[in-house]
Amino acid sequence: MQCDYYDAALCRSCTLLEQPYDDQLARKVAGARAALGEGVRWELPVASAESGFRNKAKMVVAGTVEAPTLGILDGARGVDLRGCALHTPGITAALPVLAAFVTEASLTPYDVATRRGELKHVLVTDSGTALMVRFVLRSTEALARIRKHLPPLVAELGDRTVVSVNVQPEHKAVLEGEREIVLTEAGTLRMPVGDVTLHLRPQSFFQTNTAVAGALYRDAAAWVDELAVRTAWDLYCGVGGFALHLAPGRDVLGVELSGEAVASALTSRDELGLTARFQAGDAAAFVRDVEAVPDLVVVNPPRRGLGELAGLLEASGVAHVLYSSCHVGSLGRDLRAMPSLRPVKARVYDMFPHTEHHETLVMLQR
């Protein structure tokens, strides 16, 4: 992929950009194989498009009201990355519109050095048919101006656009705050992925590569179909991607710490007419407190891995664990903590071309 920002040393986030894509993918597969060891049946990796795949833009806002930059910071200086080739066409088309909105609504970019200004980030998610736009502000001072100028923005971006304000008053490296104010009638973004449509609320997590996420969910369902699985738990279920793909014909329970994500999963479930159950709570505490285990447990933990949950699953007696990992280091550590659960099948999914990051799906069998 050609990137003028990279060539000009303005952005070096794509650390593997100088390597041919096939070499990048081979490197990721080799790392995953090393983490899992011998005796695993590997399916061919799922490659990504090299550009236009990223469905989320997390843009730092800098510069001035009249000339805002949307991109990253180089020290305290804003570097505008509106033309980043990773973004979907929908995001690429939206970013200039949003930059103009910053000027129109007089949203003063936050200055890190002086700790002055209001607008910290613009976050955009593209479902392929609609957008979600979130303005991360230091306070609600600009809220009235955003509301005033919102109708023309929604008209330009599309009437299904979801717009919200997130309030993050603290001066620290935290992307967003707890308070979210939804400004449009539509409060969720409908995200078609795999064989279902998920509803995303503003603070919901979702994979940044929709096409590869769809392949991940379809494979998970196909692998589980090969087993005699009637009951399943989806721990760290997020907005329900795995659970809803496994739900037809099965008793599935999803557990997720984020109440907002659980609400999204329930909305999707009801729209799909499925019977999966979802509850908010800590995954390790949930497993610690139950007696009977299901036929299969799905885990999709954060980068740090399972932690205490690995030992709980090892002791639980569950026959199969389907582990979706975004970090092979923590995956390898968790596998060592679950010696009775052996990896039998695995596949690499390249969610993040041009970086070291990827997803690995592993079926573990006791």
Side-chain angles (χ1 to χ4, degrees):
M1 182 187 78
Q2 170 61 33
C3 178
D4 293 339
Y5 299 122
Y6 185 92
D7 292 344
L10 293 173
C11 175
R12 290 298 178 95
S13 298
C14 294
T15 56
L16 302 183
L17 190 60
E18 295 180 44
Q19 295 186 17
Y21 182 65
D22 288 348
D23 292 349
Q24 295 180 31
L25 196 54
R27 173 176 178 155
K28 295 178 182 185
V29 171
R33 284 179 175 270
L36 267 63
E38 301 297 327
V40 181
R41 178 163 67 86
W42 285 90
E43 297 194 356
L44 292 175
V46 175
S48 170
E50 294 186 46
S51 62
F53 62 85
R54 188 175 177 87
N55 61 30
K56 179 176 287 187
K58 300 178 180 180
M59 313 300 279
V60 179
V61 184
T64 64
V65 171
E66 296 76 17
T69 62
L70 275 62
I72 59 174
L73 292 179
D74 180 6
R77 180 179 67 91
V79 178
D80 195 277
L81 299 178
R82 280 180 255 174
C84 175
L86 300 183
H87 294 143
T88 64
I91 290 176
T92 300
L95 290 177
V97 176
L98 292 168
F101 183 81
V102 171
T103 303
E104 184 70 19
S106 298
L107 304 179
T108 307
Y110 183 69
D111 183 271
V112 174
T114 63
R115 302 191 181 190
R116 294 179 179 176
E118 283 294 318
L119 181 59
K120 294 184 172 183
H121 299 90
V122 172
L123 312 178
V124 189
T125 304
D126 179 16
S127 73
T129 59
L131 297 172
M132 178 184 289
V133 177
R134 303 171 65 205
F135 297 99
V136 181
L137 300 172
R138 192 172 66 162
S139 73
T140 58
E141 180 273 333
L143 188 58
R145 296 196 302 279
I146 292 175
R147 289 185 186 276
K148 175 184 176 180
H149 294 282
L150 190 59
L153 176 67
V154 172
E156 189 163 3
L157 295 181
D159 58 9
R160 287 182 290 178
T161 301
V162 179
V163 181
S164 69
V165 162
N166 179 274
V167 183
Q168 164 42 330
E170 298 183 74
H171 180 81
K172 60 182 182 181
V174 176
L175 184 66
E176 60 190 63
E178 295 182 3
R179 186 182 180 191
E180 195 85 26
I181 305 167
V182 178
L183 304 179
T184 49
E185 183 177 350
T188 65
L189 180 68
R190 299 180 81 255
M191 176 71 77
V193 56
D195 297 324
V196 306
T197 294
L198 302 175
H199 282 261
L200 306 185
R201 281 175 167 75
Q203 293 184 316
S204 298
F205 167 79
F206 183 70
Q207 299 282 7
T208 59
N209 192 320
T210 307
V212 177
L216 174 69
Y217 293 140
R218 288 192 186 100
D219 282 352
W223 290 10
V224 173
D225 283 345
E226 296 173 359
L227 307 172
V229 170
R230 294 173 298 175
T231 57
W233 294 340
D234 180 5
L235 308 182
Y236 309 100
C237 71
V239 296
F242 285 107
L244 294 171
H245 276 83
L246 300 185
R250 298 187 181 91
D251 179 10
V252 177
L253 170 64
V255 179
E256 165 60 43
L257 193 60
S258 166
E260 180 162 286
V262 168
S264 295
L266 290 170
T267 300
S268 303
R269 178 204 65 184
D270 293 344
E271 185 174 273
L272 292 163
L274 298 172
T275 58
R277 295 168 292 136
F278 295 93
Q279 66 183 55
D282 176 75
F286 168 77
V287 175
R288 195 186 310 116
D289 293 342
V290 298
E291 296 181 2
V293 295
D295 301 323
L296 174 134
V297 173
V298 180
V299 290
N300 183 23
R303 288 179 60 80
R304 64 179 179 271
L306 296 175
E308 177 194 1
L309 183 56
L312 294 172
L313 291 174
E314 168 68 14
S316 72
V318 64
H320 292 92
V321 172
L322 186 61
Y323 192 138
S324 183
S325 168
C326 63
H327 190 273
V328 293
S330 58
L331 171 61
R333 183 175 63 249
D334 288 340
L335 292 180
R336 290 190 291 274
M338 300 185 292
S340 297
L341 288 159
R342 304 298 298 168
V344 293
K345 185 195 300 189
R347 193 174 200 182
V348 165
Y349 300 79
D350 195 11
M351 295 279 186
F352 316 99
H354 319 303
T355 75
E356 298 282 2
H357 305 298
H358 60 87
E359 199 85 8
T360 304
L361 186 66
V362 188
M363 179 62 78
L364 307 176
Q365 180 174 301
R366 191 172 295 274

